[in-house]
Amino acid sequence: MYHIQFQKPIFVHFIGIGGISMSGLASILLKEGFRVSGSDVHASALTRQLAEQGACIHYGHSAANVSPEVKAVVYTAAVKEDNPEIQESLRLGIPLLTRAELLGQLMKNYRTAIGISGTHGKTTATSMMTHILLEANADPTVSVGGILHSIGGNIRVGGSDYFVAESCEYTNSFLSLYPTMEIILNIRADHLDFFKDLDDIRRSFRLFAEKLGPDGFLSIYGEIEQLEQFTQGLSCKIRTFGSDPDRDDYSAVHITYDPFGCASYDLTRKTEHGYDIVGSISLGVPGFHNVLNSLSVIAVALELGIPMEQIRNGLASFTGTDRRFQRKGEFRGVTVIDDYAHHPDEIEATLKAAHTYPHKKIWCVFQPHTYTRTKALMDGFARSLCLADEVVLADIYPARETDTLGISSLDLANRIQSFGTSVHYFPSFEQIEQFLSAHCAEGDLLITMGAGDIVSVGEALLERS
């Protein structure tokens, strides 16, 4: 594998530069004095921001986008071998790096590199960790898979030895990273277009945990099934977090929720004879799942020696990232929330949080994400969506796939209906908007949900009001 010497800036080209992670890496290189070019299918806020920072952006993929002056090319998992820019790079003999390989090389430059992984919750936990480090004046470098307004985007270039990176399991990309500390939030079946099954995913997370050496630290969810598969034989220090104060090293008791579903709790630490209460925590984001996310990063923060007051202040200051239970506004007294949830567990967590939020009726407008995920997790999607009072389905967002499985949102609608929940399917966003405008009432809570472009439905309704 080609290795970039970060002390000697070169010309790097990114294929798919508009992606949330790719754009962040490109931004880091620009700030380190590298010359950067990149291509993507469409213009976006991220590509425009990179252009303002000095990157040369091309729209559409073409061999002509790869200059002979380029010294390295970075590409995403979505880019195939027949991509004309990949082919031109090979013809010119330019070294190729995956996004994860570049991120891993960056991590090697930091004494404390925190890799935050899990099937879901990564973006929120990475953001929480960032807020704690900022409160502690640790000046971290951060790569997060969402827009975090406290750092002005999805990337922050710091001046210290701290690096915080959201670490994704898809295509085993996190196995290219070099963390010194890790968080494993959860391990569930997902990305089954790449992984064979849940056992295959579990093997990958075990390999990720094994990347930690004797001086490493692992914060892991104590309720993961057969936890010993991930912890047995590791040489690093291990701490668990979870809902049982007698079992887990860190847990929460006396949990209460404010009128908007944000939790406050007493933090516990396990002792030989039970547990001690070591501090009180108040969160600025809703739901019990965020209690667990906060516990995961508290374990790391305490291991780093960060005082409780700074941990408490950092968590209280975090009010969410874009597309994670994000309040978008109101139309005719209906509150509009947008959420990125696209896995049954995420949907369940989001809708449970919604039940603690002020509402008369909960409307969930869901856009399934990829055919393989929808087919593999059909029952899970149906059961979790039944936590809403009314479900409205859009067509499946294909992302990187084509429909070869004969699956559709109508199949999901029929499954939801079989469980007795009111469900509606419309083939266009315009029809969805018209239906919601006619049927949502003052005091209702409307959640647009999914990893595609369903957010535009809520935004359109807000523009009408």
Side-chain angles (χ1 to χ4, degrees), residues 185 220-227 240-244 247-248 251 288 292:
L185 294 163
I220 187 168
Y221 184 39
E223 296 172 43
I224 291 174
E225 188 175 349
Q226 296 178 324
L227 181 66
T240 64
F241 65 92
S243 60
D244 186 346
R247 178 199 61 209
D248 298 307
S251 188
F288 177 71
L292 295 176

Side-chain angles (χ1 to χ4, degrees), residues 283-311:
L283 301 179
V285 284
F288 177 71
H289 62 295
N290 279 319
V291 172
L292 295 176
N293 287 334
S294 69
L295 291 170
S296 76
V297 299
I298 288 171
V300 173
L302 290 175
E303 182 66 18
L304 290 171
I306 297 175
M308 274 301 305
E309 182 179 2
Q310 293 177 339
I311 293 172

Side-chain angles (χ1 to χ4, degrees), residues 112-114 116 125-142 151 156 160-165 181 297 300-302 304-307 310-315 317:
T112 301
I114 306 167
I116 299 178
T126 303
S127 301
M128 287 178 168
M129 191 76 248
T130 298
H131 270 248
I132 291 172
L133 290 171
L134 291 174
E135 179 66 25
N137 295 314
D139 195 20
T141 294
V142 178
I151 64 173
R156 181 184 191 274
S160 72
D161 284 332
Y162 289 97
F163 190 102
V164 184
M181 306 180 82
V297 299
V300 173
L302 290 175
L304 290 171
I306 297 175
Q310 293 177 339
I311 293 172
R312 183 185 299 111
N313 292 341
L315 289 171
S317 70

Side-chain angles (χ1 to χ4, degrees), residues 18 169 237 315 361 435:
E169 75 277 10
K237 188 174 182 179
L315 289 171
K361 182 183 285 189
F435 176 79

Side-chain angles (χ1 to χ4, degrees), residues 307-386:
M308 274 301 305
E309 182 179 2
Q310 293 177 339
I311 293 172
R312 183 185 299 111
N313 292 341
L315 289 171
S317 70
F318 172 63
T319 57
T321 57
D322 282 5
R323 305 222 60 204
R324 271 71 176 179
F325 210 88
Q326 181 186 7
R327 188 182 188 280
K328 304 287 287 187
E330 288 188 9
F331 77 95
R332 300 200 310 271
V334 178
T335 300
V336 178
I337 302 288
D338 182 59
D339 196 272
Y340 193 69
H342 56 287
H343 182 279
D345 290 352
E346 296 169 338
I347 295 168
E348 180 180 349
T350 297
L351 292 178
K352 282 183 175 178
H355 277 276
T356 67
Y357 199 91
H359 69 276
K360 289 183 179 177
K361 182 183 285 189
I362 296 174
W363 294 80
C364 182
V365 185
F366 181 61
Q367 181 184 41
H369 191 261
T370 75
Y371 301 103
T372 52
R373 182 183 282 117
T374 305
K375 183 174 183 178
L377 305 177
M378 176 71 72
D379 269 9
F381 280 121
R383 292 181 188 279
S384 60
L385 286 165
C386 286

